[in-house]
Amino acid sequence: MNHFILNTYEDISQRAAEIVMGQLRINPRLLLGAATGNSPSGLYARLADSARETPATFDALRVVKLDEWLGLRMDDPGSCEAYIRTRLLQPLRISDERFLTFQSDPADPGAECRAIQKTLETHGPIDVCILGIGTNGHIAFNEPAAALTAHAHVAALAKSSQSHSMVAGSGKHPVSGLTLGMADIFQSRMILLLISGASKRDVARRLLTREITTNLPASLLWLHPNAICLIDRDAYR
């Protein structure tokens, strides 16, 4: 994994957008793995700006949702579904046929994981996977543990994940999530990890030691042949 220290959040958002747009010019049918949360929001805003200028650029782009809070309604403002639809699908005019997703409140969560796994096997692998990092080092909902799960699964959420700002105001308190697994993420042709803000200083420091451990799932990205980490100064200090 190559890592770059940039001055501001705006800088990492711009650099990330340039990377994604460059890959999209190479492959207009690119499958984008879309994380949610604060870290990728600036990137998505810049893609939306590009869509307003040249909307045809995104006519074949496909998107896959990486994870979801288990038990939230799909239309809950705190859901990953609502986030991605608002920030990516609507501004980039991506139809449902080009969106690989899974339900947030399925009757059988295990079956839902198997369904998204089959969908990804059919339409994947992911070409560019956008990731943020949790304060505990998780990526998607792959939480620190003695062992990590390879493919899509129901994940027990760490306390820090349960209190994430996305669901803080929803009145819901999810304790589990649905997520793609580490093998699904590792099969991505390119991974783009974005780290921003003072709240991520401790985990950024741990990551940059290059010690690889399942207790810091993001550290496994050092093993990926084409991963890029962009960090702003607030997170790097």
Side-chain angles (χ1 to χ4, degrees):
M1 180 168 66
N2 293 315
H3 70 284
F4 302 91
I5 312 302
L6 302 178
N7 286 329
T8 67
Y9 175 71
E10 289 72 22
D11 290 337
I12 67 171
S13 298
Q14 181 62 34
R15 179 73 66 84
E18 291 168 358
I19 292 170
V20 172
M21 292 299 292
Q23 293 300 307
L24 192 56
R25 283 190 287 272
I26 296 169
N27 176 15
R29 291 194 70 256
L30 182 146
L31 178 58
L32 183 72
T36 58
N38 296 323
S39 296
S41 293
L43 159 62
Y44 299 155
R46 281 156 180 77
L47 296 181
D49 290 341
S50 296
R52 283 190 287 272
E53 296 172 3
T54 55
T57 303
F58 301 93
D59 281 353
L61 176 68
R62 299 168 297 148
V63 173
V64 58
K65 181 172 68 174
L66 298 184
D67 54 9
E68 184 59 271
W69 309 97
L70 181 59
L72 262 63
R73 300 187 320 273
M74 292 285 273
D75 61 354
D76 189 297
S79 71
C80 299
E81 183 84 6
Y83 175 106
I84 290 175
R85 286 190 176 277
T86 300
R87 290 169 173 80
L88 275 178
L89 302 194
Q90 294 169 9
L92 275 54
R93 301 179 185 177
I94 296 173
S95 65
D96 285 347
E97 291 73 21
R98 290 187 282 129
F99 181 38
L100 285 58
T101 189
F102 44 99
Q103 298 297 308
S104 57
D105 54 353
D108 184 342
E112 192 67 17
C113 290
R114 291 189 292 274
I116 190 63
Q117 190 68 48
K118 184 176 181 179
T119 300
L120 186 60
E121 289 169 0
T122 300
H123 296 282
I126 296 169
D127 292 299
V128 179
C129 188
I130 307 300
L131 295 174
I133 186 172
T135 55
N136 65 355
H138 77 231
I139 49 177
F141 278 146
N142 294 281
E143 301 280 12
L148 301 178
T149 303
H151 297 296
H153 60 282
V154 178
L157 300 181
K159 291 294 185 182
S160 57
S161 300
Q162 294 176 30
S163 59
H164 194 280
S165 59
M166 282 182 67
V167 292
S170 70
K172 302 287 186 179
H173 302 283
V175 297
S176 300
L178 304 172
T179 186
L180 298 187
M182 292 299 297
D184 304 319
I185 292 171
F186 256 69
Q187 287 165 9
S188 302
R189 294 186 171 96
M190 175 184 284
I191 293 175
L192 195 51
L193 176 64
L194 310 179
I195 307 179
S196 174
S199 65
K200 301 294 176 69
R201 286 177 190 169
D202 288 345
V203 73
R205 190 176 296 113
R206 291 177 63 200
L207 179 68
L208 292 175
T209 66
R210 303 193 182 207
E211 180 183 359
I212 298 168
T213 170
T214 59
N215 287 317
L216 188 75
S219 69
L220 273 71
L221 297 179
W222 288 111
L223 301 174
H224 192 276
N226 193 21
I228 299 170
C229 178
L230 304 179
I231 310 174
D232 70 12
R233 290 286 176 186
D234 281 344
Y236 183 68
R237 290 173 184 168

